[in-house]
């Protein structure tokens, strides 16, 4: 008779010890530009240089199907683009070769990585990380 009681106690302990699953951070909404980091690579993929440009004076507003860039100081439009999400990729609808990857997403931080969709053999290339915060 002791075995079922012990088994029940183990089940109860295991069930109570688990933390609730935290929902994934929300991509949608307003994101304030923090900086853009550019990394230059040689044809073998070796980093040649890296530089950052601080706050670009705009914010990004994401809806379920579009990106809207606006100037922070006067809310003037700075460009809007329709996109579709494929996993961690945002693919621009009018320019399917233009896409970015969600490199980091937390409740307070978003990093969108823009890398060339293809690189010719022997070519140098650049990858840009756009950093945002809420």
């Amino acid at each position: 008779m002791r075995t079922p009681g012990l088994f029940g106690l183990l089940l109860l302990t295991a069930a109570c010890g688990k933390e609730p699953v935290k929902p994934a951070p929300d991509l949608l909404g307003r994101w304030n530009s923090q900086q853009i980091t550019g990394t230059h690579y040689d044809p073998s993929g070796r980093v040649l240089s890296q530089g950052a440009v601080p706050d670009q004076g705009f914010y990004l507003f994401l809806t379920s199907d579009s990106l809207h860039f606006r100037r922070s100081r006067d809310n003037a439009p700075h460009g809007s683009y329709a996109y579709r999400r494929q996993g961690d990729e945002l693919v621009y609808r009018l320019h399917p070769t233009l896409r970015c990857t969600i490199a980091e997403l937390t409740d307070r931080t978003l990093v969108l990585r823009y890398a060339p969709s293809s690189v010719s053999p022997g070519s140098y290339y650049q990858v840009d990380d756009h950093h945002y915060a809420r």
Side-chain angles (χ1 to χ4, degrees):
M1 287 289 157
R2 291 178 118 172
T3 305
L6 181 59
F7 181 70
L9 182 61
L10 285 174
L11 273 177
L12 183 60
T13 303
C16 292
K18 292 183 181 178
E19 293 187 28
V21 176
K22 187 177 178 182
D26 194 4
L27 174 66
L28 308 183
R30 180 179 171 144
W31 294 95
N32 299 308
S33 172
Q34 299 297 298
Q35 73 177 19
I36 296 174
T37 304
T39 306
H40 299 80
Y41 296 89
D42 72 7
S44 70
R46 184 175 56 101
V47 174
L48 295 175
S49 65
Q50 188 175 52
V53 178
D55 177 19
Q56 297 297 298
F58 69 89
Y59 68 89
L60 168 63
F61 190 84
L62 278 156
T63 68
S64 61
D65 63 356
S66 59
L67 303 101
H68 304 277
F69 296 93
R70 295 193 160 290
R71 285 196 313 235
S72 299
R73 72 172 185 266
D74 60 6
N75 209 33
H78 196 56
S80 292
Y81 306 92
Y83 76 91
R84 72 180 181 284
R85 185 171 179 178
Q86 297 175 329
D88 281 343
E89 275 196 323
L90 306 181
V91 180
Y92 288 64
R93 288 192 186 272
L94 293 178
H95 307 283
T97 58
L98 181 58
R99 58 187 63 209
C100 61
T101 303
I102 301 168
E104 180 180 349
L105 176 60
T106 69
D107 290 333
R108 313 264 321 138
T109 304
L110 170 64
V111 177
L112 296 178
R113 179 164 294 145
Y114 290 85
S117 57
S118 65
V119 177
S120 300
S123 296
Y124 292 79
Y125 61 98
Q126 178 174 330
V127 175
D128 292 323
D129 285 348
H130 294 229
H131 300 259
Y132 299 93
R134 289 200 207 254

